[in-house]
Every structure is written in structure tokens, then in C-alpha cells.
Amino acid sequence: MTEIQESYIVRIPRGVRLREDKQRGGWVLLAPERVFQLDGIAQAVIGHVDGERRVGEIVDRLCEAYQAPRERIAEDVIAMFAGLVEKRVLEVA
């Protein structure tokens, strides 16, 4: 599995788009010949990915917004980012 550190910056790579799926409701990541349906949690996390914020900053913002334990959010966000990097719909900047 790809290792993601809190000091890393992640971004949506060229060729991948975050789009609202109005027919089904919700958001998707569109990649060449692939579609990743995002649930509400994934959408909230990906919404903070701007190619400038560090993973730790994204975790901090989510902790503030959802009043959840930082360790739990960090673990979940890092695991999600690692999986999406492996699938090539996110990249480390």
C-alpha cells in the first residue's frame, strides 16, 4: 500500500475530474474509463483537496468541522488517500 504522510500534499491529477452526478445525486471522481462514486464522507474529504493543503491540514479542518478525534480522522483520511493514489485518481504533489 502507498504510504501517505501528513506532511504530503495531495492533488487531483490531470485527466481526473470531480463532478456532481445530478442523475444519481452525489459526487464522482471521473478518471479515464473509470468512475468512483463518492459517499458523503469521501466527498467532504476530497472537497478539501486543492493541491496546496497538506494532509495534516485537511485532517485538522475535518476535526474542527466534525468534532471528532484527530487520530481517528487521520487514520481514515490517510487510508483513503493511499487507496486513491494507488488507483491513480489522486497523486502526491
Side-chain angles (χ1 to χ4, degrees):
M1 183 173 237
T2 302
E3 183 179 336
I4 302 293
Q5 301 289 326
E6 286 197 31
S7 61
Y8 290 1
I9 296 172
V10 292
R11 66 179 176 208
I12 298 173
R14 184 176 175 185
V16 177
R17 302 285 177 255
L18 177 63
R19 295 282 186 246
E20 185 176 11
D21 185 348
K22 292 180 182 179
Q23 283 186 318
R24 295 185 186 120
W27 290 79
V28 295
L29 281 172
L30 299 174
E33 300 181 24
R34 299 177 292 163
V35 176
F36 295 87
Q37 184 74 35
L38 302 177
D39 63 16
I41 295 169
Q43 177 188 345
V45 174
I46 295 295
H48 290 282
V49 174
D50 62 3
E52 295 178 11
R53 289 187 188 111
R54 297 188 184 284
V55 172
E57 292 174 78
I58 293 170
V59 169
D60 290 339
R61 286 174 177 247
L62 292 166
C63 287
E64 283 181 32
Y66 296 101
Q67 302 297 308
R70 190 179 194 290
E71 304 80 38
R72 178 60 193 249
I73 288 181
E75 181 181 313
D76 291 346
V77 167
I78 288 170
M80 185 179 102
F81 285 169
L84 292 174
V85 167
E86 285 184 2
K87 292 177 176 110
R88 297 187 177 142
V89 291
L90 276 186
E91 66 185 12
V92 176

